[in-house]
Amino acid sequence: MMGGIGDFLIAPFLEFVFMQRALLGALMLSFSAAPVGVFLMLRRMSLTGDAMAHAILPGAAAGFLLFGLELVPMTLGGLVAGVVVALGAGAVSRLTVQKEDASMAAFYLISLAVGVVMVSMRGSSIDLMHVLFGTVLALNHDALTLIALVTGTTLITLAIFRRALIAECLDPLFLRSVSKLGSPVHFVFLGLVVINLVAGFQALGTLLSVGLMILPAAAARFWTQRVETMCVLAIGFGVVSSVSGLLLSYHAALPSGPAIILSAGLLYAVSVIAGTRGVLLTRLPRTSHRTA
């Protein structure tokens, strides 16, 4: 019995190199993107992360038009596009009456449309699906190296600016009043969001890369209030989602990227219901108390 379970859980990763690479890439993204997602969520910027994920599409599409499905041009293009959209949305919100969330939504919709049109100009529907939804099972050495660099950069940066990031999440005005780190930390954090989305784009595509950033973080919030514990839990949920999603993809012949995000979505649903700060332990006791 145990042998059968072991074969079901372990054999795909032992037998196939592409499964090993996919697992390594997804695990590194979990360690990198999930903690960034925690701070994104605590700043009430989750939808900003989604908008930024779509904003990288025109740059990646430009790299694809010029060089095909090559890692470096598409990565650099996505990075430039993400920075331009972030700065553009920020400039519109500061120079006009429009709020940043509205300007970000406008830039996101325009970016998504432009990117899809650019990919369609040269590529096939398969190329478009690759750009939008990624190919985690096709990660090569260069893509894994990029993800590893982003993961290392993210973890080191979070360790250095941890206190400032937590302070800005809790009370940004207080941080700006007592320290000059307020604005620099904000831009450092946006930089982390962009590079993690670009790294995630290699594995999960523009439409799903933000999923591994937000869903584990959102699930972790139903279990704890401490930021550090939330980050650790988010990483754990990301790891579980990656492993289970790849196994689901392998055994059920499903697309790997969506399978990983669906697994993260299932963990989120369980956390909403059964977490220590979820529905069962917060809402239901109050209801029964009132009826009593």
Side-chain angles (χ1 to χ4, degrees), residues 43-66:
R43 288 160 166 253
R44 296 178 177 87
M45 292 174 60
S46 300
L47 291 178
T48 300
D50 183 54
M52 292 299 299
H54 297 79
I56 68 175
L57 182 56
F64 169 76
L65 280 176
L66 295 173

Side-chain angles (χ1 to χ4, degrees), residues 172-196:
L173 294 178
F174 172 77
L175 178 63
R176 289 184 176 91
S177 66
V178 300
S179 172
K180 295 180 179 179
L181 286 176
S183 295
V185 164
H186 181 71
F187 286 107
V188 166
F189 176 71
L190 285 180
L192 290 181
V193 173
V194 171
I195 64 172
N196 274 277

Side-chain angles (χ1 to χ4, degrees), residues 117-275:
V117 169
M118 290 174 69
V119 175
S120 302
M121 286 171 58
R122 171 176 171 179
S124 63
S125 59
I126 296 176
D127 294 324
L128 182 61
M129 292 292 287
H130 169 87
V131 173
L132 292 178
F133 298 105
T135 52
V136 68
L137 295 181
L139 290 177
N140 55 24
H141 176 74
D142 292 338
L144 289 175
T145 301
L146 170 68
I147 295 173
L149 289 172
V150 169
T151 300
T153 301
T154 299
L155 293 177
I156 292 171
T157 304
L158 288 178
I160 294 173
F161 293 101
R162 177 177 61 89
R163 291 183 181 277
L165 284 169
I166 294 174
E168 195 186 20
C169 288
L170 299 176
D171 194 342
L173 294 178
F174 172 77
L175 178 63
R176 289 184 176 91
S177 66
V178 300
S179 172
K180 295 180 179 179
L181 286 176
S183 295
V185 164
H186 181 71
F187 286 107
V188 166
F189 176 71
L190 285 180
L192 290 181
V193 173
V194 171
I195 64 172
N196 274 277
L197 290 173
V198 170
F201 159 76
Q202 302 300 330
L204 301 171
T206 57
L207 295 186
L208 296 178
S209 59
V210 74
L212 203 55
M213 181 180 289
I214 296 299
L215 284 173
R221 196 170 191 186
F222 287 102
W223 296 93
T224 182
Q225 288 182 298
R226 289 183 55 83
V227 176
E228 293 89 346
T229 309
M230 212 178 291
C231 289
V232 173
L233 272 177
I235 291 172
F237 287 148
V239 168
V240 172
S241 301
S242 299
V243 175
S244 58
L246 286 172
L247 287 172
L248 178 65
S249 167
Y250 177 81
H251 291 293
L254 297 174
S256 50
I260 291 174
I261 304 306
L262 280 176
S263 298
L266 179 60
L267 283 174
Y268 172 75
V270 170
S271 299
V272 169
I273 297 170

